[in-house]
C-alpha cells in the first residue's frame, strides 16, 4: 500500500492528529534553532565525558571541542597571534612576524577564542605551575605553551556554556591536555544563591546585580546602558546577566538613579 493510499483510508481525526504532531515537531525544532548558544550548551551533561586523575575530574579539550562541534558544526576556534618585533640598527623596533603566545616579564600569555553562531567567547591564560604561579618566561617550553592554549580553549567553551556549572574556577594546570574541574557538581540552587548575592559598582555604590537588572526591566535607561557596557567588559558578566534573566532573579524596589 502506498503512502497516498494509507492517508486515503485514514479518518479525519487520525489526519488531524498527524498534522498536530507534525506542527508540534516543527515548533520544537524552531525552539532548538532559536535557542541561544549558552542555553543549548549549558544543558549538555558533560559529567559522562569527564576523566579522573589524582582524585580530580577533568574534561579534555578534545572531548569538549567534539561536543560543541556535534551541536554547532560551523563552530570555529583560533589562537591569538601576538606581533613579534626586532630592534633595527637605528634603535627602532620593526615587526617581523607573529607568535601564538606572548612572553612578558610576568610570564607567557596565550589566548584562545571560539566563535559559535556569530558569537565569540575568549579566554586568556598564563602558563602556570601546579601551584597556580606563572612559570619563568625564559624557561617555558612550547610543549607547555600548547597545553595552556588547549586549556584556554576549554575555558572559552565553558564561557559559552559548556560545563560551566561544574568548573572549579581556579584554573590549575595539568600534566596533560586536560582542564581540571571541581570534584562535586554545583547544584542549580547554589548557582541561584550566588547570582542573588553578586554585586558590582553602580551609581556610586556596591549594588546587587539583580537590582540593576530589575531597574533595566522597569525601563531605566541608565541601568540598560550600564548593563550593556558591563556585559561587553567581561564574558563572566554576560553569562551572569543571562543566568539572572533566564531564572527570573531580577529584583525590584531599588530607586532609579541610585
Amino acid at each position: 500500500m502506498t503512502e497516498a493510499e494509507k492517508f486515503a483510508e485514514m479518518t479525519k481525526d487520525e489526519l488531524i492528529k498527524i498534522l498536530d504532531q507534525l506542527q508540534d515537531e516543527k515548533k520544537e525544532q524552531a525552539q532548538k534553532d532559536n535557542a541561544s548558544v549558552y542555553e543549548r550548551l549549558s544543558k549538555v551533561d558533560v559529567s559522562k565525558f569527564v576523566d579522573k586523575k589524582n582524585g580530580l575530574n577533568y574534561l579534555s579539550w578534545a572531548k569538549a571541542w567534539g561536543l560543541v562541534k556535534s551541536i554547532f558544526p560551523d563552530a570555529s576556534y583560533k589562537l591569538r597571534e601576538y606581533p613579534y618585533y626586532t630592534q633595527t640598527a637605528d634603535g627602532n623596533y620593526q615587526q617581523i612576524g607573529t607568535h601564538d603566545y606572548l612572553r612578558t616579564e610576568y610570564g607567557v600569555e596565550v589566548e584562545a577564542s571560539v566563535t559559535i553562531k556569530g558569537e565569540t567567547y575568549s579566554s586568556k591564560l598564563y602558563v602556570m605551575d601546579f601551584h597556580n604561579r606563572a612559570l619563568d618566561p625564559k624557561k617555558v617550553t612550547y610543549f607547555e605553551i600548547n597545553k595552556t592554549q588547549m586549556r584556554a580553549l576549554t575555558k572559552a567553551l565553558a564561557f559559552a556554556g559548556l560545563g560551566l556549572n561544574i568548573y572549579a574556577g581556579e584554573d590549575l594546570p595539568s600534566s596533560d591536555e586536560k582542564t581540571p574541574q571541581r570534584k562535586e557538581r554545583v547544584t542549580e540552587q547554589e548557582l541561584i544563591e550566588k547570582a542573588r548575592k553578586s554585586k558590582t559598582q553602580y551609581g556610586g555604590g556596591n549594588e546587587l546585580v539583580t537590582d540593576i537588572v530589575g531597574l533595566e526591566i522597569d525601563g531605566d535607561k541608565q541601568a540598560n546602558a550600564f548593563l550593556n557596557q558591563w556585559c561587553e567588559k567581561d564574558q563572566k558578566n554576560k553569562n551572569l546577566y543571562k543566568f539572572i534573566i533566564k531564572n527570573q532573579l531580577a529584583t525590584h524596589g531599588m530607586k532609579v538613579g541610585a
Side-chain angles (χ1 to χ4, degrees):
M1 182 181 292
T2 65
E3 290 294 326
E5 290 172 334
K6 289 180 180 179
F7 279 116
E9 292 185 357
M10 288 183 180
T11 65
K12 181 180 178 181
D13 289 340
E14 289 175 331
L15 288 172
I16 292 175
K17 184 177 180 180
I18 291 176
L19 289 174
D20 288 342
Q21 183 178 353
L22 290 173
Q23 287 292 333
D24 290 340
E25 291 176 355
K26 187 176 180 181
K27 289 179 181 179
E28 183 178 352
Q29 185 59 46
Q31 290 176 346
K32 290 181 179 179
D33 293 339
N34 292 330
S36 72
V37 172
Y38 180 83
E39 287 174 333
R40 295 188 65 179
L41 291 183
S42 63
K43 293 178 181 178
V44 177
D45 182 9
V46 300
S47 62
K48 64 186 74 173
F49 299 101
V50 299
D51 301 314
K52 281 188 176 292
K53 184 176 181 181
N54 298 328
L56 292 176
N57 291 334
Y58 295 85
L59 177 66
S60 71
W61 71 266
K63 289 181 180 179
W65 183 241
L67 285 170
V68 170
K69 289 291 284 186
S70 68
I71 301 172
F72 300 107
D74 295 333
S76 62
Y77 80 87
K78 67 178 181 178
L79 303 175
R80 180 178 176 181
E81 293 287 335
Y82 299 84
Y84 176 61
Y85 298 88
T86 187
Q87 192 170 19
T88 59
D90 58 4
N92 294 320
Y93 285 89
Q94 178 180 352
Q95 182 179 341
I96 61 174
T98 60
H99 288 319
D100 56 2
Y101 60 90
L102 176 65
R103 292 186 190 272
T104 73
E105 60 179 306
Y106 305 106
V108 177
E109 175 189 301
V110 300
E111 184 174 359
S113 62
V114 179
T115 300
I116 309 172
K117 291 182 65 175
E119 293 189 65
T120 299
Y121 310 83
S122 64
S123 173
K124 184 186 297 183
L125 294 175
Y126 274 93
V127 180
M128 297 178 289
D129 61 17
F130 288 93
H131 298 288
N132 230 13
R133 296 176 300 201
L135 292 175
D136 185 342
K138 297 179 181 179
K139 298 180 180 180
V140 171
T141 66
Y142 197 77
F143 175 73
E144 292 165 327
I145 290 173
N146 181 253
K147 288 196 300 180
T148 305
Q149 288 171 333
M150 294 301 97
R151 287 179 50 241
L153 169 61
T154 311
K155 188 174 180 181
L157 294 175
F159 286 149
L162 184 69
L164 183 62
N165 61 320
I166 64 171
Y167 270 72
E170 59 265 4
D171 297 321
L172 296 175
S174 61
S175 58
D176 54 16
E177 302 171 333
K178 298 177 182 181
T179 302
Q181 295 179 316
R182 190 193 302 221
K183 290 183 179 180
E184 299 179 359
R185 177 187 292 272
V186 178
T187 66
E188 184 75 9
Q189 188 58 40
E190 286 176 326
L191 290 173
I192 289 175
E193 290 302 317
K194 185 176 181 180
R196 284 173 173 165
K197 295 177 181 178
S198 295
K199 292 185 176 183
T200 190
Q201 288 294 321
Y202 176 76
N206 200 26
E207 305 293 347
L208 291 170
V209 178
T210 53
D211 279 345
I212 304 173
V213 176
L215 284 176
E216 180 190 41
I217 293 175
D218 291 339
D220 183 14
K221 294 182 179 179
Q222 179 182 335
N224 176 259
F226 171 82
L227 288 171
N228 285 337
Q229 294 181 354
W230 186 73
C231 288
E232 288 295 325
K233 185 178 181 180
D234 193 316
Q235 185 62 43
K236 291 181 180 179
N237 296 343
K238 188 174 183 180
N239 289 339
L240 175 59
Y241 174 80
K242 288 182 177 180
F243 186 82
I244 291 172
I245 294 295
K246 177 184 176 182
N247 291 278
Q248 299 180 342
L249 302 179
T251 48
H252 304 269
M254 179 181 178
K255 293 182 179 180
V256 175

